[in-house]
Amino acid sequence: ETGVTQTPRHLVMGMTNKKSLKCEQHLGHNAMYWYKQSAKKPLELMFVYNFKEQTENNSVPSRFSPECPNSSHLFLHLHTLQPEDSALYLCASSQMVGSTTDTQYFGPGTRLTVL
Amino acid sequence: AQSVTQLGSHVSVSEGALVLLRCNYSSSVPPYLFWYVQYPNQGLQLLLKYTTGATLVKGINGFEAEFKKSETSFHLTKPSAHMSDAAEYFCAVSVDTGRRALTFGSGTRLQVQP
């Protein structure tokens, strides 16, 4: 589990705040992912980056803005969130999107509460 | 498009009893199948995966799963439950479209009674 780290682990923010979530992977992978895990809903894929390029945006509202400066780091910038955005945000990494036996490894998540 | 159905959002077993968590998938192409476990306040940990080859897959912590194409199933089993197995379990599928994003089931929470 220490292969993918996420900070902070817990975050409470108001609807007008701006904050960022950070993910770092130490596995030498080239693909990184953001997922949202809400209560009573399946994990939802939000964004996919492959070799620093965004390859998928799963119709995520613009108040969520991802950034991938290099293959090891992934950020999720948050602004003017809504209470329904409260969830566990999980980061994952894998060797490369599209590789034959690609396996995703997850970080511990950031528990976000929007007041 | 692929999808995953996990039957039973909650499963309760006694310590030492058989664990069976059900997963059925839908995919128009050969799938890759995964089981992940999530302990409280933690991320997802890979238990096992099926890509090609042998249909009975062994994973960590004594778990195994069998890919049955005819039944479109990938059920997770463990012969004898341990208290430490209490967690939420997720089945996931990906297909070889070059995109390879995981589609997750809704999860099954396993309780182990002493």
Side-chain angles (χ1 to χ4, degrees):
Chain A
E1 183 165 340
T2 56
V4 181
T5 59
Q6 291 186 243
T7 56
R9 293 294 307 275
H10 300 271
L11 178 62
V12 179
M13 59 186 290
M15 294 168 60
T16 58
N17 291 158
K18 290 184 179 181
K19 296 287 185 181
S20 296
L21 309 184
K22 179 182 177 182
C23 175
E24 183 173 2
Q25 59 94 1
H26 310 273
L27 301 170
H29 290 165
N30 298 297
M32 297 188 78
Y33 310 75
W34 279 117
Y35 287 87
K36 178 183 179 182
Q37 186 177 28
S38 305
K40 302 180 181 179
K41 292 178 70 175
L43 272 80
E44 302 172 72
L45 178 67
M46 300 175 71
F47 301 102
V48 180
Y49 279 82
N50 199 36
F51 292 94
K52 301 189 297 179
E53 299 297 321
Q54 187 180 122
T55 58
E56 187 155 349
N57 176 338
N58 198 23
S59 302
V60 180
S62 59
R63 59 185 182 270
F64 295 91
S65 176
E67 178 189 2
C68 189
N70 54 62
S71 293
S72 298
H73 294 86
L74 183 65
F75 296 89
L76 188 62
H77 303 300
L78 316 171
H79 63 97
T80 59
L81 294 191
Q82 305 298 313
E84 60 264 29
D85 296 323
S86 299
L88 182 68
Y89 288 85
L90 291 165
C91 174
S93 72
S94 69
Q95 184 59 44
M96 181 176 65
V97 173
S99 63
T100 305
T101 57
D102 203 29
T103 299
Q104 293 181 29
Y105 295 87
F106 285 78
T110 294
R111 174 70 63 187
L112 174 67
T113 302
V114 181
L115 302 177
Chain B
Q2 67 264 28
S3 66
V4 176
T5 301
Q6 290 184 241
L7 295 176
S9 58
H10 290 82
V11 171
S12 182
V13 301
S14 299
E15 191 173 19
L18 171 71
V19 176
L20 171 61
L21 304 182
R22 299 178 187 274
C23 172
N24 288 88
Y25 70 90
S26 172
S27 173
S28 58
V29 298
Y32 291 177
L33 296 159
F34 304 79
W35 275 100
Y36 285 85
V37 60
Q38 186 177 32
Y39 298 101
N41 300 314
Q42 294 188 29
L44 276 68
Q45 179 182 2
L46 181 68
L47 270 179
L48 50 80
K49 65 180 180 181
Y50 168 79
T51 54
T52 58
T55 56
L56 182 62
V57 181
K58 295 186 183 300
I60 62 172
N61 302 338
F63 284 93
E64 62 182 37
E66 186 171 9
F67 171 58
K68 292 187 176 180
K69 184 178 178 180
S70 61
E71 298 178 8
T72 61
S73 69
F74 191 58
H75 301 331
L76 181 70
T77 61
K78 181 174 180 178
S80 176
H82 192 274
M83 296 296 289
S84 61
D85 294 327
E88 188 147 21
Y89 293 80
F90 294 91
C91 183
V93 62
S94 72
V95 295
D96 189 6
T97 61
R99 173 175 170 268
R100 259 200 199 292
L102 289 171
T103 298
F104 283 89
S106 54
T108 297
R109 185 166 297 280
L110 176 67
Q111 291 182 311
V112 181
Q113 307 292 340

